[in-house]
Every structure is written in structure tokens, then in C-alpha cells.
Amino acid sequence: MAAGITGVGAPVASGPVRSYGRALAVLASIFFMWGFATVLNDILVPHLRSVFDLSYGQSLLIQFIFFLAYFVMSLPSAKVLERVGYKRSVVAGLGVMALGSLMFVPAAALPSFPIFLVALFVLASGITLLQVAANPYVAVIGPAESASSRLNLVQAFNSLGTTVAPLFGGILIFNRSTSGNATGGTESALTDAQRLADAHAVQLPYVLITLILLGLAVIIWRFKLPDLGGNARRVAAKERAKESLWRHRNLVFGVPAIFIYLIAEIGIGSMLVNYLSLPNIGNLSHADAAGYVSLFWGGAMVGRFVGSFAMRWIRPQMMLAAVSVAAFILTATSIATGGSLAMWTIILVGLCHSIMFPTIFTLGIKGLGPLTEEGSGLLIMAIAGGALAAGQGFLADRIGLQLSFALPAACYLYVLFYALWGSRPTHDAGDETLSTLD
């Protein structure tokens, strides 16, 4: 039986609602893989910076191009979802991701930084399609009052991917490269032969990722996932025509909240290896710093598991306000100090990041009813804010890497504003549920 996103009391098909646990378990693997692929960029940024002798600003073109794909491809992805449904969209997204990761082979063989950027754009285009399909699905598959808890739970598996990725990259990229084992900035003195060998170190991990993505696409294709039927989509389209997204304050302020939060998340993650390698902070090699990056993302994973359960008793808005204040204090402390204190306070920011994205997302689509898909598309498009994390790279080139963390610190103030005021709905179109499952 097809499924549809509707308001309360408006089921799109008859029949009992079955447990959605199996579908969530399958989708958790999708969340894991796109988290893994996204955070592997945190290894690519310092690695390719050494290979191609780039400035901080130039190296963060990696994140700029990657997250630009969210802006360019979100609306086309929403059209794909509307036309082919959830299951085919997920399979297509995995296929596009596999193509992008496979393109790393010729990019490393040449080696060519522009081809790396093209490969990253293709990879991110696949992730965008997965995000557009999976996030709203998880949010509306069950009761609206537990949407934040549910999305935080599956996002915890996304964070598991982000935790494993730096370890994976450290072993298969940094440990197999000359620049990855250098300390004190000596990676800038590589010979041409060493740079070429370091570029080739990227090939093996991305071939492995390609194979995993293709295998996962086959598994999802054979699994019966809920989908929107054609009739349900036509009914929803008629309902949507009577509504306006701009009547929903929680969405209007939620889109910039996602955008601004991603500047902070991606900026810190991208600069962390270089930051921990500074002599006055950790004086670590890139290979050693990768393990601490894993702790940063591991904090986000732990926080999402804890937050998923805590939000059953604590209002999501209050938890979002608390972690935004904590993130600001920790980042400011890291800027103002040095050594171990500066290192560990910035790593602990990962714990504060844990619930930010999924909580903003679910607060942003609350009460949208038949507008849920459009609202979700705008929120996913706002992930393009990660592209402006390149601004931290340009700041680092001009005022120093440590002071550049003032940019993410400022971002947390807007998140606090959203938690305390911007997330309050001005119009409630009803609880959203996924009425029937295949």
C-alpha cells in the first residue's frame, strides 16, 4: 500500500499502520554513509592542502563546492522525489554518490585539484537527494510529538559515520602519506614525487566507499520501503495550493538557522586537523590529529543518542538553547587560551553540535502539514551554508587560524535566538504522520 504525508484525520489509504522500526533500521545505514562521506572531507582538506600547496582559503574550496551542491541540487532532488518516490530516490542517491567517489580515482591519478572538486560536487549531489528523501520521511513516519526524538536517533547513526570517517581517513590516507606523518608544518616541504604519492593515497579509500555504496543500493532496492503513491501526491498538491510557507515563522527562521549552523559545524570540522597541529595548541601530526577529530564527531554521536531519549521529557527548544550557549562558551575559551585547554574545549563543541541539526529541522517543519515536503526541501537547501565555512579559511589566512574560530562562535548566537523565539510556530496545520506503509 502506498503512503502519503497528510494532516491528522486525512489518511490517504486504508489499512492498518504497521511498525516503522524496520524501515528506520534500514535508513540508519543511509544516514551512516552520508555522514561518513561528508566528514571524510575533514581529512581531505588538510591532505589536499599539502598535496597541492594550498592556502587555508583555497583548501576550503573543497567544502565550498561540496555544500554548493545542496543549494544547486535540492530543488531538482525534490522534483525527483515527487516523481519517483522515496525508494527510487534513495537508490538513485546512492548511485550518484558511488559515481562521485569513483571519480576520485582519475582525480588522484593525474593529480588534478579541479577534478577533485568536480568529484566532490557529484558525490554531494547524491547525498543531497538522500537528505531530501530521508530527513522528512523519518520526521513524519511516526507521531509528530516524537519527531525530534526519532530524527535525533537516526542522526546518531549519521554521527557514527562521522566518528568512524576520521579514523578511516587517518589510517588509509594520512598514515600512507608523507604529509600525514609530518609535524610542525614540515609537510609544506614535500618533493614533487612525495606530493604525487600522497595524491595516490586517496584512491584506495574511495574505491572501497564506491563498492559499499553500490552494495547498499542493491540492498535498498530489494527492501520494501514506504513510498508516496501518485494519487496521494495529487491530493497533497491540491492541499498545498491552499497554504503558504511564509505563514510559518518556525520555518522562515529555521532555514537561516540551518544555514548558519552549518557554517559553524563545517568550519570547525574542516580546520580541526590543522588547528590541533599548531605548535601552541597540540603540536600533532595530521595522522595523530585525525584521532582527535574522531572524538569531536564522536561527541556528536553520543549527544544524539542521549538527546533522543532526553527529548521525551525536555522540550527540544530548551535543549537547543542550552547547547548553543555551551558551544559559544567553549569556542570562546578555545580562542582565548592555548595548549590542552584550547584543544579540549574545541573538541567538546562536537558534543554541543549533536542535537542542533535534527532539532532545528524538526522544529522547522512542525505544523506544516501538506507543506512538509516543500519546507523540508528549503531546510535541506540551507545545508548549503556549509559552503560559507570557506569564510573561516579566508579569515585564517588573514587574522590567524585560532582567531578564525570567532566565526562559528557568532553562529551559535543565532541558533540561540532561534531556540528561544524563532522556533515558535505561528500556524499549526496539524500533526504530520505517514499514514500507511507498504
Side-chain angles (χ1 to χ4, degrees):
M1 191 70 68
I5 300 174
T6 70
V8 168
V12 299
S14 60
V17 178
R18 298 210 299 262
S19 170
Y20 49 79
R22 290 180 65 232
L24 285 181
V26 171
L27 284 170
S29 65
I30 306 296
F31 279 75
F32 175 91
M33 280 310 300
W34 88 51
F36 184 96
T38 299
V39 170
L40 201 54
N41 289 350
D42 292 350
I43 302 300
L44 280 181
V45 168
H47 183 70
L48 296 185
R49 179 174 181 265
S50 299
V51 169
F52 295 103
D53 196 19
L54 305 172
S55 68
Y56 287 122
Q58 290 170 329
S59 67
L60 277 177
L61 285 174
I62 291 170
Q63 300 290 27
F64 179 81
I65 293 297
F66 188 89
F67 286 94
L68 181 65
Y70 281 92
F71 180 78
V72 174
M73 300 304 297
S74 285
L75 290 181
S77 295
K79 294 295 184 183
V80 170
L81 175 61
E82 184 179 355
R83 180 175 293 272
V84 305
Y86 285 106
K87 181 176 180 177
R88 290 184 178 89
S89 294
V90 168
V91 172
L94 290 168
V96 174
M97 280 185 69
L99 174 62
S101 61
L102 189 61
M103 289 175 65
F104 276 72
V105 175
L110 289 173
S112 169
F113 188 57
I115 296 179
F116 271 114
L117 296 180
V118 172
L120 284 161
F121 185 88
V122 174
L123 178 65
S125 296
I127 295 175
T128 302
L129 181 53
L130 292 178
Q131 292 257 26
V132 168
N135 277 298
Y137 167 69
V138 171
V140 302
I141 193 174
E145 61 271 15
S146 61
S148 288
S149 173
R150 195 163 50 252
L151 192 56
N152 269 286
L153 179 61
V154 293
Q155 284 280 354
F157 289 93
N158 176 272
S159 292
L160 178 60
T162 65
T163 302
V164 173
L167 298 175
F168 178 86
I171 293 170
L172 291 184
I173 297 178
F174 284 156
N175 280 346
R176 297 170 61 240
S177 66
T178 303
S179 61
N181 289 287
T183 57
T186 56
E187 70 274 8
S188 62
L190 300 180
T191 66
D192 290 342
Q194 288 172 329
R195 293 184 194 280
L196 181 61
D198 283 7
H200 290 171
V202 174
Q203 292 177 318
L204 176 60
Y206 278 92
V207 167
L208 294 176
I209 291 171
T210 300
L211 295 175
I212 293 171
L213 290 169
L214 291 175
L216 191 55
V218 172
I219 293 172
I220 297 296
W221 180 256
R222 296 176 62 86
F223 189 89
K224 289 187 176 181
L225 282 179
D227 195 11
L228 288 174
N231 291 336
R233 284 193 288 271
R234 285 192 290 272
V235 171
K238 293 178 181 178
E239 293 177 356
R240 290 196 295 267
K242 304 174 184 177
E243 299 285 345
S244 171
L245 288 171
W246 306 112
R247 297 174 60 190
H248 298 270
R249 177 174 63 185
N250 53 308
L251 177 68
V252 171
F253 288 105
V255 171
I258 291 285
F259 189 93
I260 291 169
Y261 162 68
L262 261 293
I263 295 174
E265 180 190 88
I266 301 306
I268 291 181
S270 300
M271 304 305 290
L272 202 52
V273 167
N274 289 120
Y275 186 59
L276 299 181
S277 300
L278 291 177
N280 65 312
I281 303 297
N283 197 30
L284 303 172
S285 69
H286 288 178
D288 290 335
Y292 289 93
V293 176
S294 181
L295 290 178
F296 172 81
W297 291 106
M301 177 185 67
V302 171
R304 281 176 175 168
F305 278 117
V306 173
S308 174
F309 292 100
M311 283 188 201
R312 297 180 181 182
W313 301 281
I314 303 173
R315 292 176 60 214
Q317 294 92 330
M318 292 300 98
M319 287 198 66
L320 183 62
V323 295
S324 61
V325 170
F328 177 84
I329 293 173
L330 289 168
T331 306
T333 301
S334 187
I335 294 170
T337 60
S340 296
L341 180 59
M343 183 174 79
W344 285 108
T345 49
I346 205 66
I347 290 171
L348 284 172
V349 171
L351 183 62
C352 301
H353 282 177
S354 58
I355 69 158
M356 286 190 182
F357 175 84
T359 303
I360 295 170
F361 188 92
T362 50
L363 290 174
I365 64 172
K366 184 177 181 181
L368 297 190
L371 299 176
T372 298
E373 288 175 285
E374 285 89 341
S376 298
L378 289 176
L379 290 166
I380 296 302
M381 183 184 290
I383 295 175
L388 293 191
Q392 186 172 349
F394 290 111
L395 281 177
D397 289 329
R398 287 157 179 79
I399 65 175
L401 182 52
Q402 189 167 12
L403 288 177
S404 73
F405 283 83
L407 177 59
C411 294
Y412 301 130
L413 298 179
Y414 183 87
V415 177
L416 177 62
F417 157 78
Y418 182 71
L420 297 179
W421 188 83
S423 62
R424 298 177 186 176
T426 52
H427 175 67
D428 192 344
D431 294 336
E432 299 84 23
T433 60
L434 193 63
S435 299
T436 55
L437 305 185
D438 283 339

